[in-house]
């Protein structure tokens, strides 16, 4: 346990933060003012810097109240452990946005080089769920934004993200907004789109060779290829 200046605590850009409904968050703020902070934030010292693991809402309130120093729990760990601690702690607090989970898991896999087996072992998530999050991490910005705004869930986001064509992803999302399909219905619609595309390619007629277009010369009266006709129509 260490007393530190709240301004000295860094908050990583990539992290999972518990999501509160507005009325519950207001109750949380009032509780912080009346009762105070019962459980201190958790931090980790990474490369000589104190970095937040858990307790962003508490830290925000303390900063707003202008506290000079606050108690924090400092745990040991590597730069990778920072993200795993954050994932583990956030699952126990409030409501976690799936989009945050996507961001952190994708960051660990893409930027930190953590493979899926290690992610599975250290997060407790199933391999299937991790693969879904990684697929969503490469989806179009529109799909990821819809997930962040909780307009769609992980199942629908994953179904749409499996489309290789970004434009098709956005098109399916637009159709989903009209019909509000379930996950199986969304998957069926995507299969129907690909099937219709394949059938259209199979029946596409072959190119038909056409005779070159000719024009009669004004002077000699003979037919000549259009490329050899000047204006007025005079042959070479």
């Amino acid at each position: 346990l260490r007393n530190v200046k709240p301004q000295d605590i860094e908050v990583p850009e990539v992290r999972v933060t518990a999501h509160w409904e507005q009325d519950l968050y207001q109750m949380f703020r009032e509780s912080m003012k009346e009762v105070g902070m019962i459980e201190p934030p958790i931090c980790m010292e990474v490369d000589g810097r104190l970095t937040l693991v858990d307790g962003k809402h508490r830290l925000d309130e303390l900063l707003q109240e202008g506290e000079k120093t606050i108690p924090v729990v400092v745990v040991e760990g590597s730069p990778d452990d920072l993200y795993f601690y954050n994932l583990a702690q956030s699952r126990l607090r409030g409501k976690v946005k799936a989009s945050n989970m996507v961001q952190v898991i994708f960051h660990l896999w893409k930027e930190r080089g953590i493979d899926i087996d290690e992610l599975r072992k250290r997060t407790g998530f199933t391999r299937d769920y991790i693969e879904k999050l990684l697929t969503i991490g490469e989806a179009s910005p529109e799909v990821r934004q819809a997930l962040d705004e909780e307009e769609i869930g992980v199942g629908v986001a994953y179904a749409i993200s499996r489309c290789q064509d970004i434009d098709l992803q956005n098109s399916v999302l637009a159709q989903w907004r009209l019909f509000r399909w379930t996950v199986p219905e969304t998957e069926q619609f995507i299969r129907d789109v690909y099937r219709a595309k394949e059938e259209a390619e199979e029946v596409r007629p072959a190119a038909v060779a056409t005779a070159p277009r000719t024009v009669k010369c004004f002077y000699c009266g003979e037919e000549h290829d259009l490329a050899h006709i000047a204006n007025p129509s005079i042959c070479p």
Side-chain angles (χ1 to χ4, degrees), residues 187-204:
E187 293 172 339
Q188 183 60 52
F189 174 76
I190 293 171
R191 285 194 294 268
D192 292 342
V193 169
Y194 276 108
R195 186 181 301 112
K197 185 178 179 181
E198 290 173 359
E199 291 174 354
E201 291 176 350
E202 288 175 359
V203 300
R204 183 177 296 169

Side-chain angles (χ1 to χ4, degrees), residues 170-193:
N170 295 335
S171 176
V172 173
L173 177 61
Q175 291 293 314
W176 183 92
R177 284 174 170 146
L178 290 175
F179 299 102
R180 302 288 169 173
W181 294 309
T182 62
V183 174
E185 289 170 340
T186 304
E187 293 172 339
Q188 183 60 52
F189 174 76
I190 293 171
R191 285 194 294 268
D192 292 342
V193 169

